[in-house]
Amino acid sequence: MGLVARHLEANGIATVIMGCAKDIVERCGVPRFLFSDFPLGNSVGRPFDVESQRQTLELALQVLETAPAPRTTVQSPQRWNEDAAWKRDYNDLSKLSPEKIAERRAEFEVVRAVARSKRESV
Amino acid sequence: MSSFAAEYDVPIPYMQRTRDYYLALGYAAYRWAHFVDVPFTPLRKPLNRARLGLITTAAPFQPEAGDQGPGAPYNAAAKFYQTYSLSTESVPDLRISHVGYDRLHTSAKDINTYFPLARLREAVAAGRIGELAPRFHGAPTNRSHRETAERDLPELLRRCQDDAVDAVLLVPS
């Protein structure tokens, strides 16, 4: 998505990204970014919480309107959970035995093969 | 003064975690694209008179492509490799089983957490945004930077230009 924002912007269209992967979006280098420190999949706010989603969108619109320069990131003040322990779990290797790792690899090989055949059928 | 936060209470270092994970599984490290320079176009008219576009990475539900429901395992068969466009007047059934969202801590049960069309319509009705483009666009999540650059970027730009948008909101899932 960072590449898309950059391409639109280079061709005269203002953009703003809403997202949860701060390091990935900022590494790419994008004009405007509203970051929510939520689990991936919640770029627009909390599930079944219209007010959370409304506030998240409003912040993104303000970033679109007021960012003074590229690489502007604003972080939403909303918090997923008082306890931040959820942040330790994503791709956490420490919880995986060698057997489990072999299992994940076998699963990923299947995923890769499916993606490849789908891509080649386009 | 407020107390210090826990050591791990920072934005998740996804690149490091992903790199370590796939190295442990026996794969080479994925390289994320990055650039020194970043383009910038100011918003040229007030938002309440502007036409806003929307780009998503979510995928239209495909009946033949297996489990795409909330909490479904990663489903590569549900991926798409060509840009698609659908009416912003519609209520599309979009899913994110084809991307790596956090399946442990969230469920993708509420489309409004990754696709803000309903919230955008409210913002138009409230006069905050001038209008929405007649259609939104789906951007393929392709691991190949070359294919993204050569095929998807020009296509998305062309469609946004055809829509005569003043600005675009991009929402990765």
Side-chain angles (χ1 to χ4, degrees), chain A residues 1 3-25 27-32 35 37-50 53-54 57-58 60-62 64-65 67-72 75 79-80 82-93 96 101 104-106 108-112 114-116 118-120 122, chain B residues 8-22 24-27 31-44 46-47 52 55-57 62 64-65 74 76-82 96 100-102 104-106 109-110 112-116 119-120 122-123 128-129 139 142-143 145 147-148 151 153-154 156-157 160-161 165-173:
Chain A
M1 240 5 171
L3 299 176
V4 180
R6 293 174 52 90
H7 191 62
L8 295 178
E9 203 91 24
N11 287 279
I13 298 174
T15 65
V16 60
I17 295 181
M18 301 173 81
C20 300
K22 186 168 192 274
D23 61 335
I24 294 173
V25 174
R27 174 182 162 96
C28 180
V30 301
R32 305 173 191 80
F35 166 61
D37 197 4
F38 280 6
L40 294 180
N42 297 287
S43 298
V44 192
R46 197 179 292 281
F48 304 107
D49 184 339
V50 172
Q53 296 161 8
R54 197 194 61 73
L57 175 62
E58 174 55 30
L61 297 178
Q62 288 180 29
L64 175 64
E65 294 175 302
R71 294 189 193 271
T72 295
Q75 177 167 343
R79 199 155 162 83
W80 182 252
E82 204 36 56
D83 182 351
W86 65 270
K87 298 183 185 186
R88 306 170 90 157
D89 293 336
Y90 189 87
N91 280 355
D92 181 5
L93 286 165
L96 296 181
I101 285 176
R104 293 281 182 92
R105 184 185 164 93
F108 187 66
E109 280 299 315
V110 173
V111 163
R112 279 223 300 193
V114 171
R116 198 180 304 123
K118 183 110 183 175
R119 194 167 62 234
E120 283 163 4
V122 170
Chain B
Y8 53 83
D9 193 359
V10 292
I12 295 176
Y14 285 106
M15 291 188 293
Q16 189 62 51
R17 295 261 185 103
T18 302
R19 210 176 277 131
D20 292 348
Y21 181 83
Y22 285 103
L25 263 57
Y27 297 104
R31 285 181 180 277
W32 281 270
H34 76 291
F35 304 86
V36 173
D37 297 316
V38 181
F40 190 78
T41 297
L43 183 62
R44 293 208 174 84
L47 192 56
L52 185 67
I55 296 180
T56 180
T57 53
Q62 304 166 61
E64 73 290 355
Y74 184 88
K79 288 179 92 72
F80 61 97
Y81 291 96
Q82 282 178 329
I96 58 172
Y101 72 92
D102 191 332
L104 192 57
H105 291 290
T106 197
K109 277 184 186 147
D110 179 7
N112 300 301
T113 64
Y114 55 87
F115 183 68
R119 298 290 85 78
L120 283 169
E122 291 165 7
R128 180 73 175 92
I129 299 168
N142 198 324
R143 283 172 63 88
H145 297 154
E147 286 172 30
T148 300
R151 194 180 56 199
L153 298 184
L156 285 160
L157 174 63
C160 288
Q161 287 171 334
V165 295
D166 298 299
V168 174
L169 173 64
L170 302 102
V171 188
S173 26

